[in-house]
Each structure stands twice: as structure tokens, then as C-alpha cells.
Amino acid sequence: MSETLGSSAGSLHFEKPQVQFNENGWGPCELSDTFKDVPYQPFSKSDRLGKICDWTNTSNNDKKYQNKYASSFGTGNQYAYYHEEDETTFHLVDTARVQKPPHQRGRFNMRNLRNSRNARGRNARGGATPHMTTLGGKNVKARDNRRGVNRKFGGRNAPPKMRESSVAVRSDWSSIEEMDFPRLMKLSLPNIKEGEDIVTCGTLEYYDKIYDRINVKGEKALQKIDRIVHTVTTTDDPIIRRLSKTMGNVFATDAILATIMCSTRSNYSWDIVVDKIGNKIFMDKRDNTEFDLLTVNETSVEPPTDDDSSPNSPRNLAIEATFINHNFSQQVLKTGPNESKYKFQESNPFITEDEDIEVASVGYRYKKWDLGSEIVLVARCEHDGVLQSPNSEPQFLSIKALNEWDSKLANGVEWRQKLDTQRGAVLANELRNNACKLAKWTVQAVLAGSDQLKLGYVSRINPRDPSRHVILGTQQFKPHEFATQINLSMDNAWGILRCIIDIVMKQKDGRYLIMKDPNKPMIRLYDIPDNTFESDDGDDGEGDDGEAFQPVYAYGGGAK
């Protein structure tokens, strides 16, 4: 036995490996040919090197220290070894940081899961139903409805409600052109000069500067002023009829032009009647329509709900806003019998002898613009007041009013808390909810050549009472500067108008209708019979309930 061991031991041979000694550091002194051209992964002395021989922890990974063997220089995925010999082992060198998923399961989700299980258990034992579960004494269903949660469709917001068009499209109307908003927003007609005055009419009253000092603590009640406000369409204007014989080939009012120029910001449906006679175009609004009503929260994320019985329906809010504007624009003026007035060259062309009620302060400017290619636009523009400047020159004003109805339902900010200290936040919220209305006011002020745009902030005394209001403050802007502030390009506005004029000019003589699609960002042009909207026996001017719309907002004290 010993001989066997001895003989076997004598056959063993052990060669001592060559050990390199690095005097300047640690690690190998020379690199052998075997490891040349092999990518090098940096590592640190603190890196744990025991993973290659760690057989004790293969079945159950240590979740608390998952990265205990990771290099301090990074994960090093680009140099990791993969055993599979197929195309999936090919990896690009990517040093970008790995993004974590936005939603991960954690303690919060586990807590919600437990709460849902508890709710189901209470329901099984005869407790509250899931739709009526209370939290902190508040109804969860009501809270979800306020936040716009829609359980039926599984999303936060309900599907968009289908709006009705401003006029019913008839079967004998033929569609000529469809102009979508993305293309209209790219149009531009630069270098349009200021309009040239042709005729000026009317009488203006001077602005009372005491309203510039009104604030939330010193609010002032909004008065009901019985004054007639004329909203005459283009072809019913005697001045435009007179001018159409000698100059211009496109005729309109500032309200019609502003509606077209700011069409890309509108959500509600509207329509304009266009008559082409030879090389002349007349743009009109239909009789007994809601064209002159001011929209409220039209561009809001959550616009008012269509409930005609509620004072906060879109139509009732529009009547209230128009009523506020007409009264505010007259209240801020000096209306005493001994107060001086600014008179234009001609008197108001719409005053008749049988009118007993006083006419509102208004000044009309009939102006013309050269749009190129033999297109000359003639339009009636309006001023609401005049202000005496320090150098004794008159400054013409466009006076408008923003109205607050219910900040909680409107998803806005409370004016009584923010108006004096954070007026910029209030205005930014109004620009978001009423982008179209403010843009139209700005365009009308620019077209008229107003020196200032006066904005009033009018709120309800009680959010549930739409009949009583107070003035909380005023603010003034220069129209061109305000247009830049709200990102309104007049070059684009002129481009949209010129595009529509060119399309109509190419058509044969007749009557056409420009209508904003109620549910799509698009303008449609229809060819309609010449006698459309002329008969009072039809349903052209009827509302949704079948009753003819009466423009009660034309009188300061008539809309209640």
C-alpha cells in the first residue's frame, strides 16, 4: 500500500506559477497577448468580487441588497456576459439612464387594494353601495362628478358632447369648401396698413376716471341703464348702402370681421350670410339670431352644461354677459345733462324720430382697407367712449366687461380673493376660458383704431343670483400690445379673411353661408338659394325650443 502511494506520489509534478509584483500599485504589471483588444470594464477596490463563487444564495436572491455586487462605476450592461448563443445576445452600447415606469406598485396601491376589499366586504354585509361610499362625511360620487370622473367610460372625462349647429343645414344646400383650422392658422397677409376713415357718425361720452380706483374692498354696484344699443347688420346700414355705390367691393361690420378673423379660436357654431353681386361681396348676420350674444367659458376645458332651466346654461350665461357689457359700458361714462360730449361729423344714422328711449353712447367709424389684388374692404367699426388725454387730445375707448358667474363651477379662481393681489392670474384664467371672446374684442378695437381697451371685472353678488352684479375692478390695455400678449397675430387674421374673400370671389353670383362646424375645427361654405332667410314664416330664426328668439339684450334693462 505504501509503495503504491509512494510511487503515485513520485509521479506528481507541481509547477510554481509566476507571480508578478507591482511596486507602483496593485494588479498585473504587463498585459498578456490573450487579453489584448478586450473591452475593459472599470472597477473599484470597494467592488465585491465574491459573486463568481457564491453558491449559497442562488435559490433565493437577497432583495434588500440586490446591488451589492454592482460596480460603483455603473451597471456595465454593455460588457455583461450572456450565455445564449443566438442573435438576442447582441446588445448596443447604450449609456443612457434607464427611465423608471411612471406607475409602480407600492404601498399606496396595496393600501387602495385593501380599501376596495373592505368596501366590497361592507357591501356584502349590507353596508353602503360602492357608488355612495362616503369619505370624511362627503359623497364620493358627487366629488367624482365635480372632478369629471366618468366610471361608465373608464376615464376621467366624458366623451365630448355633440353641439348643435347655429342653423339647420338643408338638403338643397351644396357644400363648396371646407377650411380646417390647422390650415387657416398658417395663413398670413402682412403689411396691411391702418384703415382710412371715410365717414364718422355718432356721439361719445367721456370716461369717468373714478372707476379706475375701484377695487374688491371698494366695489361698486352695477346699475341697469335703459339705453338702446343698435346692432344693425351690413345691408341694413344706410351709410354702407351709400358708400357701396362709389367705393369698395367687400362690405361688413367689425363684429362680422372679428368673428371670421378669430374663427380658429371658436368652439361654438356660428354663421354668416354672404351675398355676391358682380364683383361685390356683402357679409350679413341673420335676423333674430344670437350672433351678437357674448359667449361665456367657450374655450374652457369644462364648458357650461346645456341645461336651459339652469341660469348657468350657455345661452343664459351669454344673455347675462351681454346685459353686463351693455350696462357697464354706459355706467363708466359721465352721463349728466351738463357733461360735455364728443360729436363726430354726422349724427347717429340709426336713430329714428319715434324712439323715446335714450340711445347708448357710441361712435361709428366707416373705414376702408386695401387688401391687395383690387380687394377694398369697407366696414363699420365702433367706439364706446372717449377719454381726455393730458395734451387735450381725445383718446377713443373700447369698453368691455368680463363677468364671473360661479368660480367653483367654472373651474376658475375667486376674483374677490385674487383680483387685487394676483390680477395676472385672474386675467390668465380668463384668457384660457374665453380666448375667442377676448380675441374678438381685441380685433374690434384694432379695426376701430381705439387708443385703449378698457376691461371691467364684474361679478355676481351671489353666485346663484344672475340678476345682481358688482364691479370689482378695471384694467386697460393698448390694443396692439394686448394682441401680442394673447398671441393674436393680425397678419394671420387678415390672411383668414382674405382666404375666404378669394374663395367667394371665384363663385358665381348668389347667396352663400359661412358656418363654423359645431363639432369639428372647421369652417364650411355652402351655396344656398337666393331667397333663404328672407321669409319670416319659416323657422330660420327659431331656437331649439321652436320659439323665435327675441333680442331682449338690445336694451340695457331688458335682459333679466
Side-chain angles (χ1 to χ4, degrees):
M1 188 69 174
S2 60
E3 294 179 356
T4 306
L5 290 173
S7 61
S8 61
S11 62
L12 294 177
H13 180 71
F14 176 75
E15 293 184 1
K16 180 181 177 182
Q18 183 180 0
V19 179
Q20 298 180 3
F21 177 69
N22 191 347
E23 297 180 355
N24 299 324
W26 66 285
C29 299
E30 299 178 358
L31 185 63
S32 61
D33 297 338
T34 309
F35 301 105
K36 284 184 177 181
D37 300 328
V38 174
Y40 172 68
Q41 171 72 10
F43 60 93
S44 174
K45 288 184 179 181
S46 61
D47 291 345
R48 297 172 181 262
L49 304 179
K51 188 175 181 180
I52 57 174
C53 58
D54 189 358
W55 296 294
T56 62
N57 200 22
T58 56
S59 60
N60 186 15
N61 294 328
D62 191 356
K63 296 181 180 180
K64 188 176 182 180
Y65 302 101
Q66 292 182 352
N67 298 325
K68 66 179 179 179
Y69 294 118
S71 173
S72 59
F73 289 92
T75 57
N77 290 334
Q78 60 268 35
Y79 304 124
Y81 172 74
Y82 298 90
H83 178 68
E84 295 82 359
E85 295 180 358
D86 54 12
E87 294 182 358
T88 59
T89 61
F90 178 77
H91 293 268
L92 292 176
V93 177
D94 187 8
T95 58
R97 181 177 298 177
V98 180
Q99 296 290 338
K100 294 182 178 180
H103 300 286
Q104 292 182 341
R105 291 187 176 274
R107 294 166 57 188
F108 179 77
N109 288 338
M110 294 300 294
R111 182 178 60 189
N112 290 344
L113 180 61
R114 289 195 298 268
N115 291 339
S116 62
R117 290 175 179 173
N118 294 336
R120 287 196 299 268
R122 290 194 300 269
N123 187 26
R125 295 190 298 269
T129 60
H131 292 285
M132 297 300 293
T133 303
T134 57
L135 182 60
K138 296 183 179 180
N139 191 295
V140 176
K141 181 180 179 180
R143 181 193 62 187
D144 291 346
N145 289 338
R146 289 197 303 270
R147 294 182 177 179
V149 178
N150 192 321
R151 290 195 175 101
K152 180 178 179 181
F153 295 93
R156 288 192 60 84
N157 296 320
K161 184 176 181 179
M162 303 300 291
R163 299 189 182 96
E164 295 183 359
S165 60
S166 58
V167 60
V169 179
R170 301 178 182 176
S171 58
D172 57 344
W173 296 1
S174 60
S175 178
I176 298 176
E177 192 77 23
E178 294 181 352
M179 296 160 278
D180 58 284
F181 286 0
R183 288 190 298 171
L184 292 176
M185 294 172 65
K186 297 178 182 179
L187 299 176
S188 178
L189 184 62
N191 302 325
I192 299 299
K193 299 180 180 180
E194 294 289 335
E196 178 184 349
D197 287 345
I198 306 174
V199 180
T200 56
C201 307
T203 303
L204 289 173
E205 296 173 340
Y206 283 89
Y207 178 77
D208 192 352
K209 294 184 179 180
I210 193 174
Y211 286 90
D212 290 338
R213 298 191 292 268
I214 291 180
N215 53 28
V216 174
K217 295 182 180 179
E219 62 186 28
K220 192 174 183 65
L222 181 69
Q223 302 174 6
K224 296 181 180 180
I225 302 176
D226 289 332
R227 284 186 168 187
I228 296 178
V229 179
H230 295 99
T231 56
V232 182
T233 187
T234 307
T235 53
D236 293 340
D237 190 327
I239 304 296
I240 289 183
R241 289 185 177 183
R242 185 182 72 192
L243 296 176
S244 63
K245 299 177 181 179
T246 57
M247 63 182 65
N249 51 8
V250 179
F251 305 90
T253 64
D254 58 348
I256 293 175
L257 294 179
T259 302
I260 296 176
M261 290 178 167
C262 303
S263 57
T264 56
R265 298 181 182 226
S266 61
N267 289 339
Y268 294 158
S269 179
W270 47 264
D271 59 271
I272 296 171
V273 180
V274 181
D275 288 303
K276 182 178 183 297
I277 305 173
N279 65 337
K280 295 184 179 181
I281 294 176
F282 296 86
M283 297 182 178
D284 285 289
K285 62 178 183 178
R286 291 186 295 114
D287 295 334
N288 301 326
T289 62
E290 301 180 8
F291 182 85
D292 293 305
L293 290 181
L294 300 174
T295 61
V296 178
N297 281 40
E298 177 181 357
T299 58
S300 174
V301 178
E302 298 179 3
T305 57
D306 293 330
D307 184 8
D308 292 337
S309 61
S310 170
N312 298 327
S313 66
R315 185 175 181 273
N316 291 334
L317 286 174
I319 295 176
E320 178 186 356
T322 309
F323 163 76
I324 290 173
N325 266 266
H326 289 170
N327 286 279
F328 175 79
S329 64
Q330 303 304 308
Q331 180 177 343
V332 297
L333 302 176
K334 298 177 180 179
T335 58
N338 298 327
E339 298 291 344
S340 60
K341 299 181 180 180
Y342 185 91
K343 296 183 178 181
F344 282 109
Q345 296 176 353
E346 299 184 15
S347 59
N348 192 323
F350 310 121
I351 297 179
T352 58
E353 297 179 356
D354 57 348
E355 289 182 352
D356 298 332
I357 304 178
E358 185 180 2
V359 178
S361 167
V362 62
Y364 299 106
R365 287 184 183 271
Y366 294 85
K367 308 175 71 174
K368 68 175 182 178
W369 293 266
D370 187 359
L371 304 184
S373 302
E374 299 181 354
I375 300 296
V376 178
L377 170 66
V378 175
R380 184 189 74 227
C381 305
E382 298 181 9
H383 294 304
D384 298 313
V386 65
L387 180 66
Q388 192 73 27
S389 62
N391 55 2
S392 300
E393 292 184 1
Q395 289 188 347
F396 299 100
L397 309 178
S398 293
I399 305 174
K400 309 297 179 182
L402 296 167
N403 62 295
E404 181 188 37
W405 45 288
D406 194 332
S407 59
K408 295 181 180 179
L409 296 178
N411 194 21
V413 295
E414 284 197 42
W415 288 6
R416 287 174 172 82
Q417 296 181 0
K418 303 291 185 180
L419 191 59
D420 287 346
T421 58
Q422 301 179 15
R423 182 162 297 184
V426 175
L427 182 60
N429 187 71
E430 290 300 311
L431 289 172
R432 181 169 55 252
N433 295 336
N434 298 283
C436 183
K437 179 170 66 175
L438 282 164
K440 289 166 66 175
W441 287 347
T442 307
V443 168
Q444 288 178 260
V446 171
L447 293 177
S450 297
D451 298 292
Q452 292 183 16
L453 173 62
K454 286 277 187 180
L455 291 181
Y457 295 90
V458 181
S459 177
R460 294 178 181 176
I461 296 179
N462 188 333
R464 298 182 180 181
D465 185 4
S467 61
R468 298 186 302 157
H469 304 85
V470 290
I471 305 172
L472 300 180
T474 59
Q475 198 171 6
Q476 66 183 25
F477 301 93
K478 293 183 178 180
H480 285 282
E481 295 180 358
F482 190 65
T484 304
Q485 182 177 345
I486 66 176
N487 197 23
L488 173 63
S489 171
M490 289 303 299
D491 292 346
N492 174 250
W494 286 115
I496 294 173
L497 177 64
R498 177 60 189 275
C499 175
I500 295 178
I501 291 175
D502 290 342
I503 293 175
V504 176
M505 279 293 187
K506 296 178 182 178
Q507 310 302 323
K508 64 180 185 298
D509 289 1
R511 176 162 290 187
Y512 301 89
L513 183 77
I514 303 172
M515 188 183 74
K516 158 67 172 63
D517 190 285
N519 301 301
K520 295 180 181 179
M522 179 183 300
I523 296 177
R524 302 180 186 272
L525 179 64
Y526 292 97
D527 184 1
I528 62 179
D530 294 344
N531 59 352
T532 310
F533 307 128
E534 289 183 355
S535 175
D536 294 336
D537 298 334
D539 58 350
D540 301 329
E542 292 183 359
D544 299 335
D545 53 358
E547 298 179 0
F549 172 71
Q550 299 296 330
V552 295
Y553 57 88
Y555 298 89
K560 298 182 179 180

